[in-house]
Amino acid sequence: MIIRFCINGRDTELDVRGDERAVDILRERLGLTGTKEGCGTGECGACAILVDGRARLSCLTLAAQLDGRDLTTIEGLGSPEAPHPLQQSFAERGAVQCGFCTPGMVVAAADLLARDPHPGREAIREALSGNLCRCTGYSRILDAVHKVDER
Amino acid sequence: MSAYLPGTLTDLWDLLEEADTAVMAGGTDLLVRRRAGKCAGRICCLERIPELRGVQEEEGVLEIGATTTLTDLLESATVAARLPMLHQAVRQLGSPLVRNQATLGGNMCTASPAGDTLPALYALGAQAVLLSRRTERVLDVAEFIAGPGRTALEPGEILARVRIPLPEPNAVQHFEKVGRRRALAISVASLAAVLRLDGDVVRDIRLAFGSVAPTVLRCAEAEAWLTDRTLTADNLRHAAGLVRSAVLPIDDVRATADYRRQVAGNLLLRLETYRP
């Protein structure tokens, strides 16, 4: 089936199969490999993307469900030249080690900041509770989100 | 395999005529099962049918569309104010990412013994509104859920709405879940309780336990024993014994049956904190 959506500000049209998932078309068809697939069952959060402004699990979303939606992936939040404040803060505060969980963490944090621009640490812990990191131990990730607008 | 996103109920009924069509709400259970090789065939998504989503209050009853997401429920002022036990249960279900897509109707249709919204729905006396092309029927949640992973849904029929009679404002509503960790934990045991107190005397009490039997368990023995008795630690300890005799837990990777039996009784002791 043909689906049309806006991804990272660009109108896109794709012919997708019914069994393709959102994460499949992002990575395999559109070359947006910033979005990661970890567990494939919704428990790790590495595949999070923004759909109409809310964070969703792209491994548990069918490609067909994207029809008519507005998507933002980690590539659309910022670029190496003009990073999103969260991306800048993660880099500056050493909140990245292997980097696999980072796109999902940043996307989930962006969803939080859109609704609560100055969250406390408990709200951040709650918002990131569906994102697993196996390297950093989370403290620096919490710091990076908490101090995002400090320089 | 094909996926369909009908925008109206009429289109939905046509799609459901064909065999091997799975109905999908948020997809957080269905797509996991599908990935494990279960439930092949066509998928029909309910997310674009406006009548199936939203929260509405009418004459003391809250009607919640089956595809209302758990995040929608958390953000509903009525749910927070009038159904704090459901609010608490939803806050502890999955993770924010899961809740952004998982739905109340989906949690009911999955019919897991550990489904975290179910004890609250049993304790609140919720009803399921089932629709097909030609029929509408209303079942108590305890009739709707037929067993682990089984519901009363017939082919061509969907869960459209959930009706929850709002408890009186001064009723005590309590929910507690025991899990291995806070986020993304499948319940080891849980308790949802609604009670009406007259001073410290229990006048009316409903107790619904999750994860300690094939379906949510209402403990009639403990309810009857506590009615017209004071909410003291001694009385609760006695009722906890009745709970431990009534539950039918299993051993699994999360906990042993003995542990679940013990904890199910212990969960009741917390009600003492509501003693005036």
Side-chain angles (χ1 to χ4, degrees), chain A residues 18 55 57 60 65 67 126, chain B residues 1 24 47-48 99-101:
Chain A
L57 298 156
L60 295 183
Q65 289 177 270
D67 188 38
E126 164 66 23
Chain B
M1 191 282 267
M24 176 171 130
E47 66 178 36
R48 312 251 165 145
R99 295 194 293 266
N100 280 350
Q101 51 193 100

Side-chain angles (χ1 to χ4, degrees), chain A residues 57-108:
Chain A
L57 298 156
S58 65
C59 76
L60 295 183
T61 301
L62 296 171
Q65 289 177 270
L66 302 179
D67 188 38
R69 304 293 188 202
D70 184 58
L71 318 186
T72 306
T73 65
I74 188 68
E75 291 90 347
L77 278 178
S79 64
E81 299 72 38
H84 185 281
L86 278 167
Q87 291 169 319
Q88 185 79 34
S89 187
F90 269 61
E92 284 174 4
R93 294 191 167 78
V96 179
Q97 198 165 320
C98 88
F100 195 88
C101 73
T102 312
M105 289 280 180
V106 171
V107 165

